[in-house]
Amino acid sequence: MRKSELLVEVAKNIGIKGTINVPDGLWGYGKIKYDEGKCIGCSKCEVNCSEGAISFERIFDLPKIYEAEKSDGSLKKDRIVALIKSLTLKKPKNPINVPELVEGYGNVKIDLDKCIGCGNCQRYCTGKALKVEKILEIGGGN
Amino acid sequence: MSNNRVQKSPKPKIGVFLCDCGNEISRIINTQKINDSLSKENDVIVAEVHRHLCDSHTLKRLRRIVIDNQINSLVIGGCSPQLHLETFSKIFREANINLIGLKMVNIREHCSWVHKDKEKATDKAAALLNGAINKIKASKEIEVVETKVKKAALVIGAGVAGTNAALELAKKGIKTYLVEKNPWIGGVTAQVGMAFPTDDCAYCIGARSERSGIRKCFYRAGLESYPNLEIMTNTTVKSVEGKVGDFRVTIEEYPTFINEDCVSCGICEEVCPIEAPDTFNRGLSKRKAIYKQFEAVPNKYIIDFDACNVCKKCEEVCPEKAIDFSQRPKKHELEVGAIVVATGISEFDPSALTRYGYKKYPQVLTQLDLGRYLDPAGPTKGELSFNDKTPESIVMIQCVGSREKEQNSYCSRLCCMMALKHATLIKKRYPNTKITICYIDIRTTGEGYEDWYDRARDLEVIFMHGKASEVLEKNGKLIVRTEDVMLGEAVELKTDLVVLSAGIESSQETREMAGLLGLELNKDNFIKSLDPKVRGLDTAKWGIFICGGSRGPTDIPESILQANAASSKVSSLLARDKIVNTRVYPIVDNELCDGCEVCQVKCGFSAIEVDKEEKKAKLNRSSCHGCGVCAANCPNNAVQLLNYEDEAIFAEVEGILRTNGDGKKIVGFICSECGYASSDLAGVERFNYPESIHFIDLPCLGRISAIHILKAFEQGAAGVVLVGCMPGRCQYNSGNSPKDNIALAKEVLKKVKLNEKVKLYNFCGAKSHEFAKAMNDFATIVASN
């Protein structure tokens, strides 16, 4: 049994319900959260996820990035968005398939059932796009 | 080995022995009553009460009973395990009896000495013993590892510390390899010229023969022919594998392109057309591409291949046919039992601070540069002369790159003395040269050090209190902008020469070697010692020691003291034939481990790391200190600390709380180090606290996960108290792990308003009164609603 599952079980036994804030320094008690706007598409997370919970897709979700507010615009994909905006082109409607050999774009899909919140993807993430949300659900209402 | 599932231990056959300790225990605790009830417990084969378990007759009798009844686990109720666990372990070890479990329950310091109510104290002692019996049934056996010790040592770095350490080891009859990157030995010491506090040259070493004096120059000490000592210059360490007692080291020797036939006649040097910066003189002078270095070992010529144009004129003229361009780097393997890292210091490069004009104006030097100028082997043959002129005035600026948040915040310790030494030397030789030292504080702490300050004052060296801000050039003269704190005004000092007392940093080699050996650096970027107070020469890696500049800015006398001490550490390790590792350690269940690296992140000793290919955590037992922080944080519960497995801790909690009729029992988790000492000494001082507090000892509070705390509440505990070492003094580098886990447990318990009933305290032995007060306070909090 995973530690988080064991904790939930014991917590339930002492009559606890609801959502628990997990201290920052602890791993293994939350689920990963993905910020598309910060992802640079390096796919290190997929390689380093020990649980096989992350799959890297070669899809550039242009409409989503177009919407994402990002100030520094340092990423390749931001520059494309900036270019589109500066050319006052219409807002793109569809994601784009990223051709092989083109790096720096792409998307991450997360299977939250598999995620154990160990934070390994977060530690390896180049763009700080992945972060374990330090929240544990005990369940059973509030 | 440690990655396999450990086999379920054989069926426990438990012996329980209670000690009355004269009547120190039985005065309060009814040991006979407890004994009667424990003897009826499952798996308890023998239960007895003795007046003194620790006397030699009883110990022998105890062993006899264990043998006769084939007892494999022992629970002893008596005094503190910190006092006598070893006494009991020893009698079995000596008879080669392997017990699966041996647990001492502290019914003296934790019971009879701190409680007054006989009935309650007896109940508490019984509960603790129940817990121990439960725990011992649930825990698994530790595998003891023995390593045969290689009777050889490696010393890395042949500066003053390394050379002294190696020499001392060789004197003890230990085969010692002294590896040095440079072609010469002596390191920075060989470059500084004169030394403080002795006012003589820097490079001497304890003499080889007691008959002739007490010290010798490096070159007169016969180091090259010293028995057991092998000096390998031009050599670097490439890899280190293995563990304490049995390291395998790969070293690489760079070619000198000169063979052993060289007789140092120097004809080659005359014909060599290439000039290169003389690194020994810190680039302040030039030498040929083929050269012989001062203090070179072996005492022969060498070719600087980076500078050489391979014209081979040297080869043509060499009468001894000693030049050999076919030489290539050579790798060797060494087998050693211990390693000393003495890779030394380097001077802070002040060119980073452009305001001081170093490397911009040629007349701005550092103290080490000045040391070279004052040395007869230096660029001006010891004359302080620039463009044939002796400077009429010199300004020295202290704390350049030291005690500055932006560079190094620590005091470099050597620079005040270097400034005083150089100011004194110059004043003696050039009395008309005006010397001003701009300082923040002058620090002269050491035998005979303050004399240098007095001497400099007597020689009319000017001390100006204030930090110099800038060095400029105006009309061919240097200007130092500083403040005179005494007068409270800004001043400009015109001068011919500026000497920057640049701070001391760890050398690049020190940092590289730390990386190669997997040693952590401290906040000042030197190699971190195992403990700054009591294990200053040990590192987190067992069998690897540090001395001299690799562990901090260190002057010559202190480097030598540390070197001698480190050699003693090594020799006491190598004096053993085998090293027996009996520490508790974690095991990894390969079926559960996915290789998520949380254990690796949490381990304070890099003892557990994930194999990237296998995706499994692997333990290096010799680096492991057995705190269990890995087990406490493994998300998949794949890591368990032997003897302190989750099941064992739960079982002990359950055993203690089995007789919790009134629901008032408090479970305490206490580390076996400083935290435990505070509780022991509270007993010794007979400080009272409530009988409701029941301690479970762990190697370190790092072993605690939030679940252990919650489990105690699930089993009916009224509160959970945790006692650990003082903040920042955890012996296991388990960091914030206990705090975070306690915080999580409290977050959970907040929902049912029990969060105030969990509390962490940090104590050491000298805080036993605070411990007792805290226990009373906590029991009051728990009792209130």
Side-chain angles (χ1 to χ4, degrees):
Chain A
M1 195 184 273
R2 284 180 201 160
K3 212 160 245 156
S4 55
E5 292 166 352
L6 189 59
L7 189 134
V8 168
E9 189 186 283
V10 178
K12 277 183 177 163
N13 288 347
I14 45 179
I16 286 153
K17 297 175 190 168
T19 313
I20 307 293
N21 293 322
V22 178
D24 239 5
L26 281 186
W27 304 104
Y29 295 102
K31 297 280 179 189
I32 204 72
K33 226 185 155 180
Y34 174 54
D35 182 346
E36 227 152 7
K38 290 181 181 166
C39 176
I40 65 161
C42 68
S43 80
K44 271 192 189 167
C45 50
E46 186 189 52
V47 180
N48 285 294
C49 177
S50 59
E51 310 302 308
I54 300 180
S55 42
F56 180 70
E57 300 178 321
R58 300 191 67 85
I59 292 169
F60 177 29
D61 198 343
L62 200 48
K64 240 186 196 164
I65 303 298
Y66 193 90
E67 288 298 320
E69 292 262 340
K70 190 140 185 315
S71 52
D72 66 348
S74 56
L75 306 183
K76 271 192 198 173
K77 45 192 199 183
D78 294 336
R79 283 190 225 135
I80 289 193
V81 172
L83 188 68
I84 294 170
K85 282 183 180 170
S86 72
L87 295 173
T88 59
L89 295 175
K90 260 190 267 170
K91 184 189 157 188
K93 281 196 183 120
N94 297 316
I96 298 164
N97 285 327
V98 182
E100 287 297 320
L101 303 175
V102 175
E103 300 299 334
Y105 307 92
N107 234 319
V108 161
K109 247 205 164 133
I110 298 165
D111 182 343
L112 285 181
D113 286 339
K114 286 186 181 168
C115 174
I116 60 167
C118 68
N120 220 26
C121 53
Q122 177 177 340
R123 288 188 285 277
Y124 281 98
C125 179
T126 325
K128 295 193 165 69
L130 288 159
K131 204 165 184 243
V132 176
E133 211 173 10
K134 298 287 174 82
I135 286 173
L136 184 67
E137 284 293 339
I138 307 282
N142 286 311
Chain B
M1 161 198 66
S2 53
N3 264 56
N4 298 326
R5 264 171 196 268
V6 163
Q7 296 298 312
K8 190 80 191 134
S9 299
K11 191 175 157 47
K13 296 177 91 176
I14 302 171
V16 182
F17 293 85
L18 303 182
C19 180
D20 282 343
C21 192
N23 72 349
E24 286 294 321
I25 291 172
S26 51
R27 192 166 47 84
I28 298 287
I29 288 161
N30 188 341
T31 45
Q32 203 53 57
K33 183 183 162 195
I34 297 174
N35 194 60
D36 292 346
S37 90
L38 290 181
S39 60
K40 295 180 198 117
E41 282 281 320
N42 280 343
D43 303 323
V44 173
I45 310 289
V46 177
E48 289 185 1
V49 183
H50 290 263
R51 191 172 157 74
H52 276 296
L53 274 179
C54 61
D55 78 48
S56 56
H57 295 292
T58 316
L59 283 172
K60 277 183 197 144
R61 192 178 133 65
L62 183 67
R63 187 162 68 191
R64 194 70 258 159
I65 297 169
V66 165
I67 295 169
D68 290 349
N69 295 283
Q70 296 177 330
I71 287 168
N72 58 20
S73 294
L74 210 53
V75 173
I76 292 169
C79 59
S80 169
Q82 307 275 342
L83 207 62
H84 271 315
L85 185 63
E86 186 49 31
T87 310
F88 294 107
S89 306
K90 196 177 150 201
I91 56 158
F92 296 106
R93 197 169 57 231
E94 281 174 355
N96 282 324
I97 299 168
N98 284 327
L99 292 171
I100 297 172
L102 169 60
K103 185 161 165 71
M104 267 187 93
V105 177
N106 192 346
I107 58 170
R108 194 178 72 177
E109 283 83 344
H110 280 181
C111 292
S112 71
W113 280 359
V114 289
H115 303 320
K116 284 181 179 153
D117 187 317
K118 290 185 182 179
E119 202 180 319
K120 283 185 185 169
T122 301
D123 286 350
K124 171 177 167 179
L128 290 175
L129 284 154
N130 273 330
I133 292 170
N134 252 14
K135 182 210 151 166
I136 224 163
K137 286 187 201 171
S139 52
K140 295 181 180 96
E141 197 175 358
I142 285 177
E143 192 190 340
V144 173
V145 174
E146 288 186 2
T147 311
K148 202 169 172 298
V149 175
K150 297 272 188 315
K151 306 274 182 183
L154 166 70
V155 179
I156 308 169
V160 63
T163 311
N164 273 281
L167 184 66
E168 284 303 311
L169 284 167
K171 278 182 188 170
K172 291 180 173 90
I174 295 164
K175 173 76 192 171
T176 306
Y177 303 98
L178 177 59
V179 167
E180 168 59 47
K181 184 196 77 169
N182 286 314
W184 84 85
I185 61 168
V188 176
T189 298
Q191 295 171 290
V192 295
M194 298 290 276
F196 61 82
T198 47
D199 200 7
D200 59 358
C201 54
Y203 40 92
C204 41
I205 196 163
R208 180 174 183 171
S209 152
E210 275 81 4
R211 278 181 306 165
S212 58
I214 54 164
R215 58 177 189 271
K216 289 262 185 286
C217 313
F218 275 35
Y219 87 94
R220 295 190 296 139
L223 294 173
E224 277 183 82
S225 56
Y226 210 90
N228 298 315
L229 180 61
E230 200 168 317
I231 303 177
M232 300 150 127
T233 51
N234 281 309
T235 304
T236 52
V237 174
K238 287 290 168 197
S239 73
V240 175
E241 310 223 324
K243 58 183 174 190
V244 57
D246 185 18
F247 290 107
R248 286 172 308 284
V249 183
T250 310
I251 54 167
E252 189 171 55
E253 187 189 346
Y254 295 108
T256 61
F257 304 103
I258 310 286
N259 67 27
E260 61 278 7
D261 295 332
C262 172
V263 292
S264 302
C265 66
I267 297 171
C268 54
E269 194 175 355
E270 285 168 24
V271 299
C272 177
I274 304 286
E275 280 202 325
D278 184 345
T279 42
F280 188 81
N281 274 338
R282 301 174 52 79
L284 298 167
S285 63
K286 302 249 174 188
R287 55 147 165 78
K288 292 290 180 67
I290 188 164
Y291 68 105
K292 201 182 97 180
Q293 191 64 67
F294 175 67
E295 294 296 1
V297 173
N299 193 11
K300 295 182 190 309
Y301 270 79
I302 175 172
I303 291 175
D304 174 355
F305 205 68
D306 291 336
C308 174
N309 67 350
V310 204
C311 68
K312 299 198 176 178
K313 283 190 181 140
C314 49
E315 199 175 14
E316 288 163 23
V317 297
C318 178
E320 306 294 328
K321 301 275 169 261
I323 289 163
D324 177 5
F325 278 100
S326 72
Q327 287 184 3
R328 291 292 170 267
K330 273 187 277 190
K331 280 197 175 164
H332 306 278
E333 288 263 326
L334 304 176
E335 289 188 339
V336 296
I339 298 171
V340 177
V341 185
T343 37
I345 53 164
S346 65
E347 199 184 42
F348 169 74
D349 180 0
S351 47
L353 298 172
T354 46
R355 60 181 182 273
Y356 290 131
Y358 186 63
K359 295 263 160 85
K360 185 177 173 192
Y361 310 121
Q363 260 72 289
V364 178
L365 305 177
T366 67
Q367 291 290 358
L368 273 188
D369 293 340
L370 180 61
R372 293 314 305 140
Y373 277 107
L374 294 172
D375 192 51
T380 50
K381 302 233 174 287
E383 288 302 317
L384 193 60
S385 165
F386 301 94
N387 306 327
D388 295 328
K389 257 181 74 185
T390 300
E392 286 168 18
S393 62
I394 300 173
V395 174
M396 294 186 180
I397 302 176
Q398 297 305 108
C399 298
V400 173
S402 296
R403 303 176 73 195
E404 291 267 20
K405 291 271 176 306
E406 297 77 34
Q407 290 87 38
N408 296 313
S409 57
Y410 55 88
C411 167
S412 293
R413 299 180 66 209
L414 317 184
C415 349
C416 281
M417 286 307 296
M418 284 207 274
L420 293 173
K421 175 193 79 169
H422 287 155
T424 309
L425 288 174
I426 294 167
K427 268 290 187 184
K428 279 186 182 165
R429 276 169 63 188
Y430 309 99
N432 295 328
T433 297
K434 182 182 165 191
I435 301 180
T436 309
I437 298 180
C438 303
Y439 72 100
I440 310 174
D441 296 294
I442 293 287
R443 295 182 170 179
T444 56
T445 53
E447 190 186 341
Y449 287 22
E450 184 70 5
D451 298 349
W452 283 85
Y453 178 68
D454 294 338
R455 220 173 289 163
R457 291 232 133 193
D458 292 344
L459 290 165
E460 293 175 353
V461 173
I462 299 159
F463 288 87
M464 189 172 280
H465 193 180
K467 179 117 193 177
S469 58
E470 211 178 348
V471 178
L472 316 161
E473 193 179 28
K474 250 188 220 167
N475 308 327
K477 273 250 180 192
L478 290 173
I479 309 277
V480 176
R481 281 204 178 135
T482 185
E483 58 172 339
D484 188 334
V485 172
M486 299 292 180
L487 297 176
E489 59 189 32
V491 286
E492 290 197 343
L493 304 169
K494 255 190 208 165
T495 184
D496 296 326
L497 184 70
V498 171
V499 184
L500 305 174
S501 292
I504 302 297
E505 296 182 326
S506 57
S507 66
Q508 192 189 335
E509 291 76 18
T510 293
R511 297 189 298 272
E512 282 172 5
M513 206 43 67
L516 191 127
L517 295 167
L519 300 173
E520 210 181 318
L521 297 176
N522 64 20
K523 70 176 174 46
D524 299 337
N525 257 335
F526 294 89
I527 297 178
K528 193 175 175 183
S529 62
L530 189 54
D531 186 290
K533 186 173 69 189
V534 295
R535 301 289 287 271
L537 301 171
D538 298 72
T539 65
K541 292 258 188 271
W542 197 4
I544 302 180
F545 302 91
I546 43 177
C547 66
S550 60
R551 57 183 298 280
T554 319
D555 62 23
I556 296 168
E558 199 186 328
S559 292
I560 296 172
L561 285 174
Q562 289 182 12
N564 291 348
S567 74
S568 166
K569 288 235 157 209
V570 170
S571 61
S572 57
L573 192 64
L574 300 189
R576 309 184 209 174
D577 290 323
K578 58 188 182 188
I579 289 167
V580 184
N581 189 348
T582 56
R583 287 179 189 153
V584 297
Y585 58 95
I587 51 159
V588 180
D589 186 330
N590 276 341
E591 281 177 36
L592 295 177
C593 177
D594 296 321
C596 75
E597 300 185 19
V598 171
C599 53
Q600 184 177 322
V601 171
K602 291 287 174 183
C603 178
F605 300 100
S606 315
I608 191 162
E609 283 175 352
V610 169
D611 183 311
K612 289 265 180 191
E613 308 221 320
E614 276 186 57
K615 288 213 162 189
K616 301 288 168 201
K618 301 272 174 199
L619 178 75
N620 175 354
R621 251 190 90 176
S622 122
S623 298
C624 174
H625 290 239
C627 67
V629 72
C630 48
N633 289 284
C634 173
N636 279 339
N637 260 352
V639 187
Q640 290 292 341
L641 184 68
L642 285 183
N643 272 218
Y644 300 92
E645 304 86 346
D646 281 345
E647 293 312 319
I649 297 172
F650 295 159
E652 193 165 358
V653 170
E654 191 271 322
I656 286 172
L657 295 173
R658 200 185 298 158
T659 51
N660 188 20
D662 57 2
K664 286 185 180 164
K665 280 191 175 166
I666 294 170
V667 171
F669 292 108
I670 191 162
C671 84
S672 295
E673 303 300 341
C674 305
Y676 205 102
S678 69
S679 74
D680 259 354
L681 297 178
V684 171
E685 299 300 336
R686 310 295 198 277
F687 293 136
N688 283 298
Y689 56 87
E691 294 83 1
S692 54
I693 297 174
H694 296 64
F695 282 113
I696 293 175
D697 55 323
L698 301 163
C700 171
L701 284 192
R703 172 64 192 98
I704 282 295
S705 82
I707 297 160
H708 300 133
I709 299 169
L710 297 175
K711 197 79 181 174
F713 283 97
E714 186 200 61
Q715 301 286 320
V720 172
V721 64
L722 302 105
V723 182
C725 295
M726 298 293 281
R729 291 295 286 148
C730 171
Q731 306 201 13
Y732 298 97
N733 289 340
S734 71
N736 279 324
S737 173
K739 268 193 199 154
D740 289 338
N741 271 291
I742 294 162
L744 175 59
K746 285 172 89 115
E747 279 291 327
V748 174
L749 291 165
K750 205 153 79 181
K751 301 268 179 187
V752 284
K753 299 199 168 57
L754 284 171
N755 51 321
E756 294 297 322
K757 306 201 171 180
V758 177
K759 207 161 162 69
L760 165 69
Y761 293 97
N762 300 91
F763 295 123
C764 59
K767 301 225 169 204
S768 55
H769 57 307
E770 287 182 30
F771 165 85
K773 185 179 177 300
M775 292 310 109
N776 281 300
D777 293 350
F778 183 69
T780 311
I781 295 171
V782 171
S784 69
N785 281 312

